[in-house]
Amino acid sequence: MKFFIDTANLDQIKEANDLGILDGVTTNPSLMAKEGISGEANFLNHYKTICEIVDGDVSAEVIATDFDGMIAEGEKLAALHPNIVVKIPAIKEGIKAIKYLSSKGIKTNCTLIFNVGQALLAAKAGATYVSPFIGRLDDISSDGLQLIEDIVNMFNYYDIATQVLAASIRHTMHIVECLKIGADVATCPLNAILGLLNHPLTDKGLEKFLADYHKLNP
Ligand code: G3P
């Protein structure tokens, strides 16, 4: 399973990249706003900077919601760097834009996926990735992980090449469950990635190893 970081924060992206395990980055307009980024030029510069830090796919989301606007933005974003993936919402015009951009060889990530039907249409349009949102389904008493499993099974059954990118991951157990289900990618906040390392027996064991060493090597 590939690991993407779900943030537009450059320090967090660098920290995750320095671990040596980062395969890519996902952003969205809310994450860009959190970093105080506004204006087209600043958006484009920020995406370029992320692409210079991480050697992997970087999702950059369109703002337009009409076909012409989405493809114009998508082409501009894709021209920034070969690793840019154009992120497009799972709406009617979005599916048409994914079909157009994928036919031009531009990678796409269909976002805001909340059911298998949306994932199927995005895949049929040629999306590189679909992004089902786990946490936001859990928030409304639905089962986000079940959706990941249903889409993984559907893509396996029909031999569909589109990758399942599990999004809206909120904690470490979401990542562990995605591993069991067979998601292709998990895009995670930094604290959820680092949370995978937490184990009291690791801390206790290391403390004892070092104490034993220092007894004979004062
Ligand atoms: O990848 C999508 C993600 O950024 C949404 O996460 O926590 O806002 O539901 P969240």
Side-chain angles (χ1 to χ4, degrees):
M1 187 171 77
K2 285 186 272 186
F3 267 109
F4 290 1
I5 188 166
D6 193 28
T7 185
N9 181 283
L10 297 180
D11 290 336
Q12 290 189 14
I13 291 170
K14 282 181 198 144
E15 188 175 338
N17 195 55
D18 286 349
L19 277 175
I21 53 82
L22 196 63
D23 300 301
V25 180
T26 52
T27 63
N28 63 40
S30 304
L31 293 171
M32 295 291 275
K34 207 167 157 189
E35 301 310 311
I37 299 156
S38 64
E40 192 193 14
N42 291 330
F43 265 70
L44 298 179
N45 270 338
H46 202 78
Y47 294 137
K48 267 175 96 169
T49 305
I50 294 173
C51 289
E52 281 156 14
I53 298 171
V54 179
D55 183 19
D57 282 352
V58 173
S59 285
E61 189 158 340
V62 298
I63 303 299
T65 53
D66 63 296
F67 175 77
D68 289 335
M70 281 193 261
I71 63 169
E73 265 188 68
E75 283 174 335
K76 194 180 272 186
L77 289 167
L80 281 177
H81 193 280
N83 288 348
I84 287 284
V85 177
V86 180
K87 206 171 179 188
I88 295 185
I91 57 175
K92 195 166 113 188
E93 295 290 291
I95 297 300
K96 284 157 62 179
I98 288 168
K99 179 73 187 179
Y100 176 87
L101 293 171
S102 63
S103 74
K104 301 275 172 209
I106 292 174
K107 289 181 282 187
T108 55
N109 173 0
C110 188
T111 189
L112 291 166
I113 297 268
F114 292 96
N115 65 44
V116 285
Q118 293 171 322
L120 177 64
L121 292 180
K124 285 187 75 74
T128 315
Y129 300 99
V130 289
S131 289
F133 278 35
I134 299 173
R136 292 193 195 183
L137 280 170
D138 291 356
D139 286 345
I140 57 158
S141 307
S142 273
D143 190 342
L145 287 164
Q146 185 61 54
L147 176 61
I148 301 292
E149 189 169 353
D150 290 345
I151 297 172
V152 166
N153 288 341
M154 173 175 68
F155 285 3
N156 286 342
Y157 188 86
Y158 289 106
D159 206 13
I160 290 172
T162 300
Q163 296 178 57
V164 180
L165 192 167
S168 185
I169 282 178
R170 302 278 174 76
H171 51 73
T172 301
M173 275 313 288
H174 275 156
I175 303 176
V176 173
E177 291 302 325
C178 282
L179 277 169
K180 292 185 195 163
I181 291 166
D184 298 288
V185 188
T187 189
C188 322
L190 181 62
N191 61 354
I193 298 174
L194 295 177
L196 291 168
L197 285 169
N198 289 344
H199 202 290
L201 291 181
T202 304
D203 299 339
K204 201 174 154 190
L206 182 60
E207 202 179 312
K208 171 116 176 61
F209 286 157
L210 294 179
D212 288 344
Y213 172 84
H214 286 299
K215 269 186 230 159
L216 295 185
N217 300 275

